[in-house]
Amino acid sequence: MIQADADLSRLDRAIVNAFQGGFPVVERPFEPAAAALRDRGVDVTASALCERVRLLDDEGTLSRFGALVNAEEIGGTATLVAMHAPPERFDEVAEQVNAHREVAHNYEREHPHLNMWFVVSVATESRVDEVLAEIEAETGQPTYNMPKHHEFHVGAKFLLDGPIAEGDLDLSHLGPDVDPSDERMLTPDERDLILEIQGGLPITETPYADVADALGQDPAWVVETIKRFELEGKVRRVGVIPNHYALGYSENGMTVWNVPDDVVMEVGPEIAALDFVTHCYRRPRHEGVWPYNFFAMTHGRSKEESDARIERVREVMSDYWEVADDDWDTLFSTRILKKTGIRLDERADAHTE
């Protein structure tokens, strides 16, 4: 395991490794969390653990603490889009694309033609075509929409040298017994809860009670609803969300593969099982422009580590088909052009009773 670049204590490393998911959804969650760390040889009290998470968040080692909301289960859709921005107009095109509030993320990536990649998030699927038509009219450049045809895995974990180095501590079983609902629409109270927690939970010893106070709700209702959202997939996980750049994971490689259609559904789960693959999807090809139908995102803390991980992906692929040199590529990000996150307000409004 590689040493982190950040100046982190043994407790800091334990927090990052232990709580990237599976944090307790109980009224005073830092108490069982601290007890679990003590069982793994990290001596800390609930109050000290809470204070340290707050400091890691303030310092930027964590992006936030709380529930990672699954926007697609809330409503609406998001899609990945690629385009060519002429080098002499690159910054102008980036400004035109970024001016659209529906564009949540935008990256410059290394590719001889498709050098701009962005995510469009909308409340209704039909709005995607409208946004892309507007962008094409403004920039004079065609766009290539690459929606997910199948999601094999989403779940980044950035582990460090130190306690609980395997990230195998899971306290998600703690909390009230709740049953998932078959309801696709949100109630107005559920909508308000999603919008309250989408940016993170208060970093206090009673975060769910603090959310309840903000909403004028009972703390038990907040705990039970978040726990149910976990079971329903509206919340992917509850825990700390590391800033992977602060931890030294600066090599952001989007590997793309032209996998034969008859094996892609077999290959997907095998690649998703690699612990360094953070996102893994099947997406459409675009004839004459984009031959790849499989995307696997990897992160590394050096070019050497990143190259070794990509080679491991290729080895697994080779168990299923003969991978030629022109069957794959890696697009590294060279610049973050926009990163605002998925705005849930309109999407939640459109899917509230």
Side-chain angles (χ1 to χ4, degrees), residues 215-340:
L215 296 174
Q217 292 282 359
D218 187 290
W221 178 85
V222 169
V223 168
E224 290 169 4
T225 305
I226 292 176
K227 173 59 72 175
R228 177 166 57 80
F229 282 171
E230 275 195 292
L231 295 177
E232 295 169 352
K234 293 182 176 70
V235 166
R236 291 189 184 274
R237 62 185 183 274
V238 178
V240 300
I241 315 296
N243 176 353
H244 61 273
Y245 293 106
L247 300 183
Y249 285 90
S250 58
E251 294 291 319
N252 172 354
M254 186 173 73
T255 70
V256 292
W257 308 79
N258 184 13
V259 181
D261 290 336
D262 59 343
V263 299
V264 66
M265 296 306 290
E266 293 181 75
V267 169
E270 296 299 318
I271 302 302
L274 297 172
D275 60 6
F276 54 80
V277 171
T278 61
H279 302 74
C280 189
Y281 307 111
R282 183 180 185 179
R283 297 186 185 276
R285 303 178 179 93
H286 286 270
E287 187 174 356
V289 178
W290 186 255
Y292 309 110
N293 64 333
F294 188 92
F295 289 59
M297 184 70 72
T298 69
H299 295 266
R301 302 191 52 226
S302 67
K303 188 177 186 305
E304 292 74 19
E305 181 181 58
S306 213
D307 289 345
R309 290 178 167 185
I310 292 165
E311 175 60 21
R312 178 61 185 141
V313 173
R314 193 195 65 78
E315 289 172 358
V316 174
M317 291 278 189
S318 297
D319 291 339
Y320 291 86
W321 54 290
E322 188 173 343
V323 183
D325 288 345
D326 60 355
D327 284 335
W328 68 283
D329 200 357
T330 302
L331 282 64
F332 287 100
S333 63
T334 55
R335 192 166 24 145
I336 299 173
L337 304 172
K338 183 179 182 181
K339 192 169 185 178
T340 60

Side-chain angles (χ1 to χ4, degrees), residues 133-144:
E134 292 167 7
I135 289 174
E136 289 182 352
E138 292 163 4
T139 64
Q141 298 295 318
T143 60
Y144 300 93

Side-chain angles (χ1 to χ4, degrees), residues 73 178-187 190 224-225 227-234 353:
E73 289 296 322
V178 294
D179 294 319
S181 166
D182 293 331
E183 294 293 332
R184 296 296 299 168
M185 299 293 283
L186 299 171
T187 68
E190 290 172 344
E224 290 169 4
T225 305
K227 173 59 72 175
R228 177 166 57 80
F229 282 171
E230 275 195 292
L231 295 177
E232 295 169 352
K234 293 182 176 70
E353 294 173 347

